[in-house]
């Protein structure tokens, strides 16, 4: 049986309710005031974790190469990936302000890491867990560096093959990772629900003897709630300002005003799962509505 482990003050694993990772990533596009407002609202909603990304250098992307993303009302938009990064990177000094505010609000920190400088910064800020973004699942040196810290490690599988997933887990474990959460990551909009394959989430955990979770890219909240019923130990979902629109990944991010309701629904679904069999207190009387005698013969 996979053993529970903690991310800061939040426990994950068998015997514990699922932990929600509200992910502000870089959706605030270097607007420090907006980021701090999102952090405050996430804490006020009752979350225990802040998920973010240490994406501080546009040089991580080559000058050439396009990406595509979905924008409601416009369809698929093609854009230079480098241009996308350039308007989303956040200086480390601003990230320090955001992460300190999260700490002051009582939130544990889970951060996606993209390079060695970001890892050093994360360790200086004493983050509670590190994440390998799905785009880095083939990045052996980075995975090994993150695993060697001994911190809990989240691996987002994205649209990786089963062989790529197994190889990344092997790199992580060989480098010392013992607290591992593997995320199933279905495709985002406009993908059909039939492409989500949510049963794969628990299968990944069983195959690799690790905790399992969902990186939710559904436009609604159905996948997050279904993942709870399927045994997710953590659910991650992007969180955006209510008015944000028209940019990469916003189509599947949750408006911040809807976060309290989602947290409440996740808790209710988790509690409703209960135990494998019903038990009654020994001093409880037989229910009074049992049916009467039935004659075996006239």
């Amino acid at each position: 049986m996979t053993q529970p482990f903690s991310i800061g003050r939040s426990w994950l694993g068998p015997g514990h309710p699922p932990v929600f990772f509200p992910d502000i990533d870089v959706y605030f596009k270097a607007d420090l005031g907006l980021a701090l407002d999102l952090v405050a609202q996430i804490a006020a909603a009752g979350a225990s974790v802040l998920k973010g990304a240490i994406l501080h250098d546009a040089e991580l992307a080559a000058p050439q190469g396009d990406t595509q993303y979905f924008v409601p009302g416009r369809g698929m938009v093609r854009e230079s990936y480098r241009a996308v990064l350039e308007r989303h990177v956040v200086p480390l000094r601003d990230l320090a302000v955001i992460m300190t505010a999260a700490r002051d609000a009582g939130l544990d920190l889970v951060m996606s890491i993209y390079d060695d400088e970001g890892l050093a910064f994360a360790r200086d800020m004493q983050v509670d867990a590190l994440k390998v973004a799905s785009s880095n699942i083939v990045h052996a040196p980075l995975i090994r560096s993150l695993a060697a810290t001994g911190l809990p490690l989240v691996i987002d599988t994205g649209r990786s093959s089963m062989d790529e997933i197994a190889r990344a887990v092997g790199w992580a474990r060989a480098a010392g990772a013992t607290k591992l959460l593997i995320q199933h990551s279905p495709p985002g909009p406009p993908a059909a629900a039939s492409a989500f394959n949510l049963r794969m989430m628990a299968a990944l955990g069983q195959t690799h003897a690790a905790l399992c979770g969902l990186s939710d890219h559904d436009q609604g909240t159905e996948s997050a709630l279904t993942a709870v019923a399927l045994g997710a130990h953590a659910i991650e979902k992007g969180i955006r300002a209510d008015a944000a629109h028209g940019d990469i990944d916003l189509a599947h991010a949750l408006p911040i005003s809807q976060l309290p309701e989602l947290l409440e629904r996740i808790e209710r679904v988790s509690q409703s799962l209960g135990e494998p069999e019903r038990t009654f207190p020994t001093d409880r009387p037989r229910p009074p509505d049992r049916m009467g005698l039935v004659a075996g013969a006239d």
Side-chain angles (χ1 to χ4, degrees):
M1 183 176 183
T2 305
Q3 294 300 312
F5 59 79
S6 65
I7 291 179
R9 289 159 288 187
S10 305
W11 278 89
L12 282 72
H16 299 277
V19 177
F20 187 74
F21 294 174
D23 182 20
I24 65 171
D25 198 72
V26 285
Y27 297 136
F28 51 91
K29 292 194 288 190
D31 183 337
L32 182 57
L34 174 57
L36 293 174
D37 183 56
L38 289 172
V39 168
Q41 292 189 67
I42 286 169
S48 60
V49 168
L50 177 72
K51 167 64 182 59
I54 301 177
L55 189 58
H56 63 99
D57 186 0
E59 292 294 328
L60 287 167
Q64 300 83 20
D66 290 348
T67 186
Q68 292 189 81
Y69 54 90
F70 179 74
V71 175
R74 293 172 59 190
M76 298 303 295
V77 174
R78 180 180 291 274
E79 185 179 6
S80 160
Y81 191 64
R82 177 65 171 267
V84 172
L85 256 64
E86 286 175 348
R87 68 171 179 271
H88 285 87
V89 293
V90 183
L92 295 179
R93 63 179 181 276
D94 288 350
L95 285 169
V97 173
I98 295 165
M99 293 161 71
T100 299
R103 283 274 189 235
D104 291 344
L107 299 171
D108 298 317
L109 295 173
V110 179
M111 290 285 154
S112 293
I113 308 296
Y114 293 87
D115 63 358
D116 290 339
E117 187 177 0
L119 175 57
F121 173 77
R123 301 202 71 179
D124 288 343
M125 295 298 297
Q126 298 182 328
V127 304
D128 300 291
L130 305 171
K131 176 173 172 176
V132 179
S134 59
S135 56
N136 283 326
I137 199 164
V138 295
H139 194 332
L142 180 65
I143 292 173
R144 290 179 178 126
S145 293
L146 302 187
T149 66
L151 291 169
L153 185 64
V154 181
I155 297 180
D156 190 334
T157 59
R159 260 67 71 204
S160 307
S161 70
M162 303 305 286
D163 287 343
E164 288 173 332
I165 295 168
R167 185 176 62 180
V169 171
W171 288 335
R173 288 211 160 111
T178 58
K179 301 173 182 178
L180 191 60
L181 171 71
I182 302 177
Q183 288 180 326
H184 175 50
S185 184
S194 58
F196 293 169
N197 296 319
L198 293 180
R199 288 191 179 94
M200 181 177 170
M201 179 192 69
L204 284 173
Q206 293 166 1
T207 298
H208 299 289
L211 300 189
C212 66
L214 178 71
S215 179
D216 183 16
H217 296 124
D218 194 348
Q219 284 184 286
T221 58
E222 293 87 355
S223 290
L225 299 176
T226 302
V228 175
L230 290 172
H233 298 115
I235 297 133
E236 178 182 325
K237 190 171 183 65
I239 302 294
R240 63 169 176 85
D242 285 357
H245 67 281
D247 211 332
I248 192 168
D249 289 341
L250 292 179
H252 55 75
L254 184 76
I256 184 64
S257 63
Q258 298 179 23
L259 178 58
E261 179 184 359
L262 177 57
L263 291 175
E264 180 181 352
R265 294 178 73 191
I266 286 173
E267 182 177 6
R268 289 189 63 196
V269 172
S270 176
Q271 291 177 349
S272 75
L273 297 177
E275 300 298 332
E277 63 181 56
R278 180 181 291 111
T279 58
F280 290 105
T282 55
D283 60 348
R284 180 173 176 173
R286 181 183 295 275
D289 58 350
R290 292 290 186 256
M291 295 299 132
L293 298 175
V294 177
D298 290 341

